[in-house]
Amino acid sequence: MSPRLLVALAGQPNCGKSTVFNALTGARQHIANYPGVTVEKKVGAFQFAGLRVELVDLPGTYSLTSYSLEERVARDFLLNENPSAVINVADAASIKRSLYFTLQVLEMGLPVVVDVNRMDVARRRGVTLDHRCLSRLLGVEVIPTSFKAGKGRKRLLEALDRLVKAPGGGPAPVFAVDYGPMEPMVRDLEKALTDLPGLSGPARPRWLAVKLMEGDDEARRMVAGAPDAGALLARADRLRADFESEQGEAPEQHTAYRRYHAVDHLVRECVTLEKTPRVPLSDRVDRVVCHRLA
């Protein structure tokens, strides 16, 4: 019997994720709830290249913090359910917003393939995205698709097949957000977490270090069960306070700013905007139909 793989489908709201889910799973899907919460859990199945895939459509969220229920559900699944791969759906027509989410997925150290969907919409809006450039900078495969137009399904599945069959789950992402003046503190905590005896769970030490600097309650709970965790958490609190005193801003505001800065770099390198973007046909029709003299 072919191996059964657990794959997560992750992305922001309105990125075309549901269209991708339906195209991959067809009628082989069902809806339940995540344990203990009212958030819907969409699960589907499909087969490709000898793989039997169980695909879980995670709640659409703008980030992977632990502020909202949907964010906690999505993040807990990625951390605790050990998916064989993550298909991160990004909206080519709103790539800057989507990449902010992508960087957070990559920071968790998961095996990822990025599906840049709605390429047809982006082109109509005068956006040209060099997916090879983005793939090179991120260190993961980036696949351009237009699922509503029926384009890209085979290429995405081939990339998924390569990812799950690669030794060690494929190469680690090469892109890391540079947190500027916070980097020494992040590295300090990362080393302390690496050396902390009894720390269990799949979370990467660097990801945990960043979350501790952000004051993330769920990250603190993940660390709290380890011996000597009290000293490490007190150290994280001191570093947070020192950073805010020295830099004049809250650490969580700084990390968000640095992620947006990283996204700006990726967009400058890999995305071109027409100086006079084409107006979609629907917008041109609206201008006539809705004109005040019409």
Side-chain angles (χ1 to χ4, degrees):
M1 181 179 291
S2 57
R4 188 170 184 84
L5 300 174
L6 179 64
V7 175
L9 195 65
Q12 294 185 327
N14 304 314
C15 66
K17 187 161 59 67
S18 293
T19 302
V20 176
F21 179 79
N22 292 333
L24 292 178
T25 62
R28 301 180 63 187
Q29 56 180 266
H30 66 272
I31 298 176
N33 282 345
Y34 288 91
V37 296
T38 57
V39 178
E40 283 190 348
K41 181 179 183 181
K42 293 173 63 178
V43 181
F46 63 90
Q47 295 193 34
F48 180 79
L51 302 175
R52 297 167 63 242
V53 177
E54 179 180 325
L55 185 66
V56 179
D57 185 9
L58 299 181
T61 63
Y62 290 105
S63 71
L64 289 171
T65 62
S66 61
Y67 297 137
S68 73
L69 178 59
E70 288 77 13
E71 287 171 343
R72 288 197 299 274
V73 165
R75 194 173 82 173
D76 286 351
F77 185 94
L78 293 174
L79 281 173
N80 301 323
E81 297 301 323
N82 195 30
S84 301
V86 179
I87 299 175
N88 168 219
V89 182
D91 182 358
S94 302
I95 192 62
K96 193 169 184 177
R97 185 185 69 186
S98 290
L99 284 174
Y100 184 83
F101 181 90
T102 299
L103 293 186
Q104 293 177 77
V105 176
L106 295 178
E107 199 159 45
M108 296 176 78
L110 299 163
V112 177
V113 57
V114 179
D115 169 16
V116 182
N117 193 30
R118 296 187 1 122
M119 288 290 289
D120 52 337
V121 177
R123 282 191 290 269
R124 290 199 298 269
R125 295 180 180 177
V127 178
T128 301
L129 188 147
D130 185 344
H131 69 279
R132 294 182 181 85
C133 167
L134 200 55
S135 180
R136 175 175 53 82
L137 293 180
L138 294 178
V140 298
E141 282 206 66
V142 176
I143 307 300
T145 66
S146 301
F147 266 87
K148 275 201 171 179
K151 297 179 180 178
R153 183 180 188 274
K154 186 171 183 290
R155 291 183 64 188
L156 177 62
L157 292 179
E158 289 172 343
L160 178 64
D161 180 53
R162 287 190 292 271
L163 178 64
V164 299
K165 290 181 178 177
V174 299
F175 191 88
V177 176
D178 179 358
Y179 288 106
M182 187 185 286
E183 275 294 330
M185 298 173 177
V186 170
R187 288 195 293 269
D188 182 300
L189 286 176
E190 182 181 5
K191 183 179 186 307
L193 287 162
T194 302
D195 297 339
L196 184 67
L199 180 64
S200 60
R204 292 176 70 201
R206 179 175 171 85
W207 179 84
L208 266 179
V210 172
K211 289 301 168 187
L212 289 177
M213 285 301 298
E214 291 177 338
D216 187 286
D217 289 337
E218 294 296 320
R220 292 179 68 88
R221 278 193 278 273
M222 292 172 66
V223 174
D228 303 322
L232 190 147
L233 292 174
R235 185 174 182 174
D237 290 339
R238 288 196 302 273
L239 290 173
R240 274 176 52 80
D242 289 347
F243 179 86
E244 188 159 3
S245 174
E246 293 168 7
Q247 302 297 324
E249 66 176 341
E252 54 270 30
Q253 293 175 330
H254 178 78
T255 55
Y257 166 77
R258 296 298 298 190
R259 288 184 193 119
Y260 282 119
H261 179 76
V263 167
D264 284 340
H265 168 72
L266 293 169
V267 170
R268 283 197 305 271
E269 292 293 317
C270 304
V271 179
T272 304
L273 300 177
E274 288 186 8
K275 292 183 179 180
T276 54
R278 287 162 286 179
V279 180
L281 176 61
S282 59
D283 290 355
R284 296 201 300 270
V285 171
D286 286 346
R287 288 180 182 178
V288 174
V289 173
C290 301
H291 192 278
R292 63 187 182 88
L293 297 180

Coordinates of all heavy atoms in Angstrom, one line a residue, residues 31-114:
I31 N -16.1 17.9 6.5 CA -15.9 19.0 7.5 C -16.2 18.5 8.9 O -17.2 17.9 9.1 CB -16.8 20.2 7.1 CG1 -16.4 20.8 5.7 CG2 -16.6 21.3 8.2 CD1 -17.2 21.9 5.2
A32 N -15.3 18.8 9.8 CA -15.5 18.5 11.2 C -15.1 19.8 12.0 O -15.0 20.9 11.4 CB -14.7 17.3 11.7
N33 N -14.9 19.6 13.3 CA -14.3 20.7 14.1 C -13.0 20.3 14.7 O -12.8 19.1 15.0 CB -15.3 21.1 15.2 CG -16.4 22.0 14.8 OD1 -16.4 22.5 13.7 ND2 -17.4 22.1 15.6
Y34 N -12.1 21.3 14.9 CA -10.9 21.0 15.7 C -11.3 20.6 17.1 O -12.2 21.2 17.6 CB -9.9 22.1 15.6 CG -9.3 22.3 14.3 CD1 -9.9 23.2 13.3 CD2 -8.1 21.7 13.9 CE1 -9.3 23.3 12.0 CE2 -7.5 21.8 12.7 CZ -8.1 22.7 11.8 OH -7.5 22.8 10.5
P35 N -10.5 19.7 17.7 CA -10.9 19.3 19.1 C -11.0 20.5 20.1 O -10.1 21.3 20.2 CB -9.7 18.4 19.5 CG -9.2 17.9 18.2 CD -9.4 19.0 17.2
G36 N -12.1 20.6 20.8 CA -12.3 21.6 21.8 C -12.6 23.0 21.4 O -12.8 23.8 22.2
V37 N -12.8 23.2 20.1 CA -13.1 24.5 19.6 C -14.2 24.4 18.5 O -14.5 23.4 18.0 CB -11.8 25.3 19.0 CG1 -10.8 25.5 20.1 CG2 -11.2 24.5 17.9
T38 N -14.7 25.6 18.1 CA -15.8 25.6 17.1 C -15.3 25.9 15.7 O -16.1 26.1 14.8 CB -16.8 26.7 17.5 OG1 -16.2 27.9 17.7 CG2 -17.5 26.3 18.8
V39 N -14.0 26.0 15.6 CA -13.4 26.3 14.2 C -13.5 25.1 13.3 O -13.2 24.0 13.8 CB -11.9 26.7 14.4 CG1 -11.3 27.0 13.0 CG2 -11.8 27.9 15.3
E40 N -14.0 25.3 12.1 CA -14.2 24.2 11.2 C -12.9 23.6 10.7 O -11.9 24.3 10.5 CB -15.0 24.6 10.0 CG -16.5 24.8 10.2 CD -17.3 25.0 9.0 OE1 -16.7 25.3 7.9 OE2 -18.5 24.9 9.0
K41 N -12.8 22.3 10.6 CA -11.7 21.6 10.0 C -12.1 20.9 8.7 O -12.9 20.0 8.7 CB -11.2 20.5 11.0 CG -10.0 19.8 10.6 CD -9.6 18.8 11.7 CE -8.3 18.0 11.3 NZ -7.9 17.0 12.3
K42 N -11.5 21.4 7.6 CA -11.8 20.8 6.3 C -10.7 19.8 6.0 O -9.5 20.2 5.9 CB -11.9 21.9 5.2 CG -13.1 22.8 5.4 CD -13.1 24.0 4.4 CE -13.1 23.5 3.0 NZ -13.1 24.6 2.0
V43 N -11.1 18.6 5.7 CA -10.1 17.5 5.4 C -10.5 16.9 4.0 O -11.7 16.6 3.8 CB -10.1 16.5 6.5 CG1 -9.0 15.4 6.1 CG2 -9.8 17.1 7.8
G44 N -9.6 16.7 3.2 CA -9.8 16.0 1.9 C -8.7 15.0 1.6 O -7.7 14.9 2.4
A45 N -8.9 14.3 0.5 CA -7.9 13.3 0.2 C -7.7 13.2 -1.3 O -8.6 13.5 -2.1 CB -8.3 11.9 0.7
F46 N -6.5 12.8 -1.7 CA -6.3 12.6 -3.2 C -5.0 11.7 -3.3 O -4.3 11.5 -2.3 CB -6.1 13.9 -3.9 CG -4.9 14.7 -3.5 CD1 -3.6 14.6 -4.1 CD2 -5.0 15.7 -2.5 CE1 -2.5 15.3 -3.8 CE2 -3.9 16.5 -2.1 CZ -2.7 16.3 -2.8
Q47 N -4.8 11.2 -4.5 CA -3.6 10.4 -4.8 C -2.9 11.0 -5.9 O -3.4 11.5 -6.9 CB -4.0 8.9 -5.1 CG -4.7 8.2 -3.9 CD -4.8 6.7 -4.1 OE1 -3.9 6.1 -4.8 NE2 -5.8 6.1 -3.6
F48 N -1.5 10.9 -5.8 CA -0.7 11.4 -6.9 C 0.7 10.7 -6.8 O 1.3 10.7 -5.7 CB -0.5 12.9 -6.8 CG 0.3 13.5 -7.9 CD1 -0.2 13.7 -9.2 CD2 1.6 13.8 -7.7 CE1 0.6 14.3 -10.2 CE2 2.4 14.4 -8.6 CZ 1.9 14.6 -9.9
A49 N 1.2 10.2 -7.9 CA 2.5 9.7 -8.0 C 2.8 8.6 -6.9 O 3.9 8.6 -6.3 CB 3.6 10.8 -8.0
G50 N 1.8 7.8 -6.7 CA 2.0 6.8 -5.6 C 1.8 7.3 -4.2 O 2.0 6.5 -3.3
L51 N 1.4 8.5 -4.0 CA 1.2 9.1 -2.7 C -0.3 9.1 -2.4 O -1.1 9.5 -3.3 CB 1.8 10.5 -2.6 CG 3.3 10.6 -2.9 CD1 3.7 12.1 -2.9 CD2 4.2 9.8 -1.9
R52 N -0.6 8.8 -1.2 CA -2.0 8.9 -0.7 C -2.0 10.1 0.3 O -1.4 10.0 1.4 CB -2.5 7.7 0.0 CG -2.6 6.5 -1.0 CD -2.8 5.2 -0.2 NE -4.0 5.1 0.5 CZ -4.1 5.0 1.8 NH1 -3.0 4.9 2.6 NH2 -5.3 4.9 2.4
V53 N -2.6 11.2 -0.1 CA -2.4 12.4 0.7 C -3.7 12.8 1.4 O -4.8 12.8 0.8 CB -2.1 13.6 -0.3 CG1 -2.0 14.9 0.5 CG2 -0.7 13.3 -1.0
E54 N -3.6 13.1 2.7 CA -4.7 13.7 3.5 C -4.4 15.1 3.6 O -3.4 15.5 4.2 CB -4.8 13.0 4.9 CG -5.9 13.6 5.7 CD -6.0 13.0 7.1 OE1 -5.7 11.8 7.2 OE2 -6.3 13.7 8.1
L55 N -5.2 16.0 3.0 CA -5.0 17.4 3.0 C -5.9 18.1 4.0 O -7.1 18.0 3.9 CB -5.3 17.9 1.5 CG -5.0 19.4 1.3 CD1 -3.5 19.6 1.4 CD2 -5.5 19.8 -0.1
V56 N -5.3 18.9 4.9 CA -6.1 19.6 5.9 C -6.0 21.1 5.5 O -4.9 21.7 5.4 CB -5.5 19.4 7.3 CG1 -6.3 20.2 8.3 CG2 -5.6 17.9 7.6
D57 N -7.2 21.7 5.3 CA -7.3 23.2 5.0 C -7.3 23.9 6.3 O -8.3 24.0 6.9 CB -8.5 23.4 4.1 CG -8.6 24.8 3.6 OD1 -7.6 25.6 3.8 OD2 -9.7 25.2 3.1
L58 N -6.2 24.5 6.6 CA -6.1 25.3 7.9 C -6.9 26.6 7.8 O -7.1 27.1 6.7 CB -4.7 25.6 8.2 CG -3.7 24.4 8.5 CD1 -2.3 24.9 8.8 CD2 -4.3 23.5 9.5
P59 N -7.4 27.1 9.0 CA -8.1 28.4 8.9 C -7.3 29.5 8.3 O -6.0 29.5 8.5 CB -8.4 28.7 10.4 CG -8.3 27.4 11.1 CD -7.3 26.6 10.3
G60 N -7.9 30.3 7.5 CA -7.1 31.4 6.9 C -6.8 32.5 8.0 O -7.7 32.9 8.7
T61 N -5.5 32.8 8.1 CA -5.1 33.8 9.1 C -4.1 34.7 8.4 O -3.3 34.3 7.5 CB -4.5 33.1 10.3 OG1 -3.3 32.4 9.9 CG2 -5.4 32.2 11.0
Y62 N -4.0 36.0 9.0 CA -3.1 36.9 8.4 C -1.7 36.7 9.0 O -0.7 37.2 8.4 CB -3.5 38.3 8.7 CG -4.7 38.7 7.9 CD1 -6.0 38.8 8.4 CD2 -4.6 39.0 6.5 CE1 -7.1 39.1 7.7 CE2 -5.7 39.3 5.7 CZ -7.0 39.3 6.3 OH -8.1 39.6 5.6
S63 N -1.6 36.0 10.1 CA -0.3 35.8 10.7 C -0.4 34.5 11.6 O -1.4 33.9 11.6 CB 0.2 36.9 11.6 OG -0.6 37.0 12.8
L64 N 0.8 34.1 12.2 CA 0.8 32.9 13.0 C 1.2 33.3 14.4 O 2.1 32.6 15.0 CB 1.8 31.9 12.4 CG 1.3 31.2 11.1 CD1 2.4 30.4 10.5 CD2 0.1 30.3 11.4
T65 N 0.6 34.3 14.9 CA 0.7 34.7 16.3 C -0.2 33.8 17.1 O -0.8 32.8 16.6 CB 0.4 36.1 16.6 OG1 -0.9 36.4 16.2 CG2 1.3 37.0 15.7
S66 N -0.5 34.1 18.4 CA -1.5 33.3 19.1 C -2.6 34.2 19.7 O -3.1 34.0 20.7 CB -0.8 32.6 20.3 OG -0.2 33.5 21.2
Y67 N -2.9 35.3 18.9 CA -3.8 36.3 19.4 C -5.3 35.8 19.2 O -6.1 35.9 20.1 CB -3.6 37.6 18.7 CG -2.3 38.3 19.0 CD1 -1.5 38.9 18.0 CD2 -1.8 38.2 20.3 CE1 -0.3 39.4 18.3 CE2 -0.5 38.8 20.6 CZ 0.2 39.4 19.6 OH 1.4 40.0 19.9
S68 N -5.6 35.3 18.0 CA -7.0 34.9 17.7 C -7.1 33.3 17.8 O -6.1 32.6 17.7 CB -7.4 35.4 16.4 OG -6.8 34.6 15.3
L69 N -8.3 32.9 17.9 CA -8.6 31.4 18.0 C -8.1 30.8 16.7 O -7.4 29.7 16.7 CB -10.0 31.1 18.2 CG -10.5 29.7 18.2 CD1 -9.7 28.9 19.3 CD2 -12.0 29.6 18.4
E70 N -8.4 31.4 15.5 CA -8.0 30.8 14.2 C -6.4 30.7 14.1 O -5.9 29.7 13.6 CB -8.5 31.6 13.1 CG -10.0 31.5 12.9 CD -10.8 32.3 13.9 OE1 -10.2 33.1 14.6 OE2 -12.0 32.1 14.0
E71 N -5.8 31.7 14.6 CA -4.3 31.7 14.5 C -3.7 30.6 15.4 O -2.8 29.9 15.0 CB -3.8 33.1 15.0 CG -3.9 34.2 14.0 CD -3.6 35.6 14.5 OE1 -3.5 35.7 15.8 OE2 -3.4 36.5 13.7
R72 N -4.3 30.4 16.6 CA -3.8 29.4 17.5 C -4.1 28.0 16.9 O -3.2 27.1 17.0 CB -4.5 29.5 18.9 CG -4.0 30.7 19.7 CD -4.4 30.5 21.2 NE -5.8 30.5 21.4 CZ -6.6 31.5 21.5 NH1 -6.1 32.7 21.5 NH2 -7.9 31.4 21.8
V73 N -5.3 27.8 16.3 CA -5.6 26.5 15.7 C -4.6 26.2 14.6 O -4.1 25.1 14.5 CB -7.0 26.5 15.2 CG1 -7.3 25.3 14.3 CG2 -8.0 26.5 16.4
A74 N -4.4 27.2 13.7 CA -3.5 26.9 12.6 C -2.1 26.7 13.1 O -1.4 25.7 12.6 CB -3.5 28.1 11.6
R75 N -1.6 27.5 14.0 CA -0.2 27.3 14.5 C 0.0 26.0 15.2 O 1.0 25.3 15.1 CB 0.2 28.5 15.3 CG 1.7 28.6 15.6 CD 2.0 29.8 16.3 NE 1.8 29.7 17.7 CZ 2.2 30.6 18.6 NH1 2.8 31.7 18.2 NH2 2.0 30.5 19.9
D76 N -1.0 25.7 16.1 CA -0.9 24.4 16.9 C -0.9 23.2 16.0 O -0.1 22.3 16.2 CB -2.1 24.3 17.8 CG -2.0 25.3 19.0 OD1 -0.9 25.9 19.2 OD2 -2.9 25.4 19.8
F77 N -1.7 23.3 14.9 CA -1.6 22.1 13.9 C -0.2 22.0 13.3 O 0.3 20.9 13.2 CB -2.7 22.3 12.8 CG -2.8 21.1 11.9 CD1 -3.7 20.2 12.2 CD2 -2.0 21.0 10.8 CE1 -3.8 19.0 11.3 CE2 -2.1 19.9 10.0 CZ -3.0 18.9 10.2
L78 N 0.3 23.1 12.8 CA 1.6 23.1 12.2 C 2.7 22.6 13.2 O 3.6 21.9 12.8 CB 2.0 24.4 11.6 CG 1.1 24.9 10.5 CD1 1.5 26.4 10.1 CD2 1.2 24.0 9.3
L79 N 2.6 23.0 14.4 CA 3.6 22.6 15.4 C 3.4 21.2 15.9 O 4.4 20.5 16.1 CB 3.5 23.6 16.6 CG 4.2 24.9 16.4 CD1 3.9 25.8 17.7 CD2 5.7 24.8 16.2
N80 N 2.2 20.8 16.1 CA 2.0 19.5 16.9 C 1.6 18.3 16.1 O 1.7 17.2 16.5 CB 0.9 19.8 18.0 CG 1.3 20.9 18.9 OD1 2.5 21.0 19.3 ND2 0.4 21.7 19.4
E81 N 1.0 18.5 14.9 CA 0.5 17.4 14.1 C 1.6 16.8 13.1 O 1.3 15.9 12.4 CB -0.7 17.8 13.3 CG -1.9 18.2 14.2 CD -2.3 17.1 15.1 OE1 -2.3 15.9 14.7 OE2 -2.7 17.4 16.3
N82 N 2.7 17.5 13.1 CA 3.9 17.0 12.3 C 3.5 16.7 10.8 O 3.7 15.5 10.3 CB 4.4 15.7 12.9 CG 5.8 15.3 12.4 OD1 6.6 16.2 12.0 ND2 6.1 14.0 12.4
P83 N 3.0 17.7 10.1 CA 2.6 17.4 8.7 C 3.9 17.1 7.9 O 5.0 17.6 8.1 CB 2.0 18.7 8.2 CG 2.5 19.8 9.2 CD 2.7 19.0 10.5
S84 N 3.7 16.2 6.9 CA 4.8 15.9 6.0 C 5.3 17.0 5.1 O 6.4 17.1 4.7 CB 4.5 14.7 5.1 OG 4.1 13.5 5.9
A85 N 4.3 17.9 4.9 CA 4.6 19.1 4.0 C 3.5 20.1 4.3 O 2.4 19.8 4.7 CB 4.7 18.7 2.6
V86 N 3.9 21.4 3.9 CA 2.9 22.5 4.0 C 2.8 23.1 2.6 O 3.9 23.4 2.0 CB 3.3 23.6 5.0 CG1 2.3 24.7 5.0 CG2 3.4 23.0 6.4
I87 N 1.6 23.2 2.0 CA 1.4 24.0 0.8 C 1.0 25.4 1.3 O -0.1 25.5 1.8 CB 0.4 23.4 -0.1 CG1 0.8 22.0 -0.6 CG2 0.2 24.3 -1.3 CD1 -0.2 21.2 -1.4
N88 N 1.8 26.3 1.1 CA 1.5 27.7 1.5 C 0.9 28.4 0.2 O 1.7 28.6 -0.7 CB 2.7 28.4 2.0 CG 2.5 29.9 2.1 OD1 3.5 30.7 1.8 ND2 1.4 30.4 2.6
V89 N -0.4 28.7 0.3 CA -1.0 29.4 -0.8 C -0.8 30.9 -0.7 O -1.3 31.5 0.4 CB -2.5 29.1 -0.9 CG1 -3.1 29.8 -2.1 CG2 -2.7 27.6 -1.0
A90 N -0.2 31.6 -1.6 CA 0.0 33.0 -1.6 C -0.7 33.6 -2.8 O -0.9 33.0 -3.8 CB 1.5 33.4 -1.7
D91 N -1.3 34.8 -2.6 CA -2.0 35.5 -3.6 C -1.1 36.4 -4.5 O -0.6 37.3 -4.0 CB -3.1 36.3 -3.0 CG -4.0 37.0 -4.0 OD1 -3.8 36.9 -5.2 OD2 -5.0 37.7 -3.6
A92 N -0.9 36.0 -5.7 CA 0.0 36.7 -6.6 C -0.5 38.2 -6.8 O 0.3 39.1 -7.0 CB 0.1 36.1 -8.0
A93 N -1.8 38.4 -6.7 CA -2.3 39.7 -6.9 C -2.1 40.6 -5.6 O -2.3 41.8 -5.7 CB -3.8 39.7 -7.3
S94 N -1.8 40.0 -4.5 CA -1.6 40.7 -3.2 C -0.3 40.1 -2.6 O -0.3 39.7 -1.4 CB -2.8 40.6 -2.3 OG -3.9 41.2 -2.9
I95 N 0.7 40.0 -3.4 CA 1.9 39.2 -3.0 C 2.6 39.8 -1.8 O 3.1 39.0 -0.9 CB 2.9 39.1 -4.2 CG1 3.9 38.0 -3.9 CG2 3.5 40.4 -4.5 CD1 3.4 36.6 -3.6
K96 N 2.6 41.1 -1.6 CA 3.3 41.7 -0.5 C 2.6 41.3 0.8 O 3.3 40.9 1.8 CB 3.3 43.2 -0.6 CG 4.2 43.9 0.3 CD 4.3 45.4 -0.1 CE 5.3 46.1 0.8 NZ 5.5 47.5 0.4
R97 N 1.3 41.3 0.9 CA 0.6 40.9 2.1 C 0.8 39.4 2.3 O 1.0 38.9 3.4 CB -0.9 41.2 1.9 CG -1.7 40.9 3.2 CD -3.2 41.1 2.9 NE -3.7 40.1 1.9 CZ -4.9 40.1 1.4 NH1 -5.8 41.1 1.7 NH2 -5.3 39.2 0.6
S98 N 0.8 38.6 1.3 CA 0.9 37.1 1.4 C 2.3 36.7 1.9 O 2.4 35.8 2.6 CB 0.6 36.5 0.1 OG -0.8 36.5 -0.3
L99 N 3.3 37.4 1.4 CA 4.7 37.0 1.8 C 4.9 37.2 3.3 O 5.8 36.5 3.9 CB 5.7 37.8 1.0 CG 5.9 37.3 -0.5 CD1 6.8 38.2 -1.2 CD2 6.4 35.9 -0.5
Y100 N 4.2 38.1 3.9 CA 4.3 38.3 5.4 C 4.0 37.0 6.1 O 4.7 36.6 7.0 CB 3.4 39.5 5.8 CG 3.6 39.8 7.3 CD1 4.6 40.6 7.8 CD2 2.7 39.3 8.3 CE1 4.8 40.9 9.1 CE2 2.8 39.6 9.6 CZ 3.9 40.4 10.0 OH 4.0 40.7 11.4
F101 N 2.9 36.4 5.6 CA 2.5 35.1 6.2 C 3.6 34.0 5.8 O 3.9 33.2 6.7 CB 1.2 34.7 5.7 CG 0.6 33.4 6.2 CD1 -0.1 33.4 7.4 CD2 0.9 32.2 5.6 CE1 -0.6 32.2 7.9 CE2 0.4 31.0 6.1 CZ -0.4 31.0 7.2
T102 N 4.0 34.0 4.6 CA 5.0 33.0 4.1 C 6.2 33.0 5.0 O 6.7 31.9 5.4 CB 5.4 33.2 2.7 OG1 4.2 33.1 1.9 CG2 6.4 32.2 2.2
L103 N 6.8 34.2 5.3 CA 8.0 34.2 6.1 C 7.8 33.6 7.5 O 8.7 33.0 8.0 CB 8.4 35.7 6.3 CG 8.9 36.4 5.0 CD1 9.4 37.8 5.3 CD2 9.9 35.6 4.3
Q104 N 6.6 33.7 8.1 CA 6.3 33.1 9.4 C 6.2 31.6 9.3 O 6.7 30.9 10.2 CB 5.0 33.7 9.9 CG 5.1 35.2 10.3 CD 3.8 35.7 10.8 OE1 3.4 35.5 11.9 NE2 3.1 36.4 10.0
V105 N 5.7 31.1 8.2 CA 5.7 29.6 8.0 C 7.1 29.1 7.8 O 7.5 28.1 8.5 CB 4.8 29.2 6.7 CG1 4.9 27.7 6.5 CG2 3.4 29.7 6.9
L106 N 7.9 29.8 7.0 CA 9.3 29.4 6.8 C 10.1 29.4 8.1 O 11.0 28.6 8.4 CB 10.0 30.2 5.8 CG 9.4 30.1 4.4 CD1 10.2 31.1 3.4 CD2 9.5 28.7 3.8
E107 N 9.8 30.4 9.0 CA 10.5 30.6 10.2 C 10.3 29.4 11.2 O 11.1 29.1 12.0 CB 10.1 31.9 10.9 CG 11.1 32.3 11.9 CD 11.0 33.8 12.2 OE1 9.9 34.3 12.4 OE2 12.0 34.5 12.3
M108 N 9.2 28.7 11.0 CA 8.9 27.5 11.8 C 9.7 26.3 11.4 O 9.7 25.3 12.1 CB 7.4 27.2 11.7 CG 6.5 28.3 12.3 SD 4.7 27.9 12.1 CE 4.5 26.8 13.5
G109 N 10.4 26.4 10.3 CA 11.3 25.3 9.8 C 10.6 24.1 9.2 O 11.1 23.0 9.2
L110 N 9.4 24.3 8.7 CA 8.6 23.2 8.1 C 9.0 23.0 6.7 O 9.4 23.9 6.0 CB 7.1 23.5 8.3 CG 6.6 23.7 9.7 CD1 5.2 24.4 9.7 CD2 6.5 22.3 10.4
P111 N 8.8 21.8 6.2 CA 9.0 21.5 4.7 C 7.8 22.2 3.9 O 6.7 21.9 4.1 CB 8.9 20.0 4.6 CG 8.2 19.5 5.8 CD 8.4 20.5 6.9
V112 N 8.2 23.1 3.1 CA 7.2 24.0 2.5 C 7.4 24.1 1.0 O 8.5 24.1 0.4 CB 7.3 25.5 3.0 CG1 6.3 26.4 2.3 CG2 7.0 25.5 4.5
V113 N 6.2 24.1 0.2 CA 6.2 24.5 -1.2 C 5.2 25.7 -1.2 O 4.1 25.6 -0.6 CB 5.8 23.4 -2.1 CG1 4.4 22.8 -1.8 CG2 5.8 23.8 -3.6
V114 N 5.6 26.7 -1.9 CA 4.8 27.9 -2.0 C 4.0 27.9 -3.3 O 4.6 27.8 -4.4 CB 5.6 29.2 -1.9 CG1 4.7 30.4 -2.0 CG2 6.4 29.3 -0.6

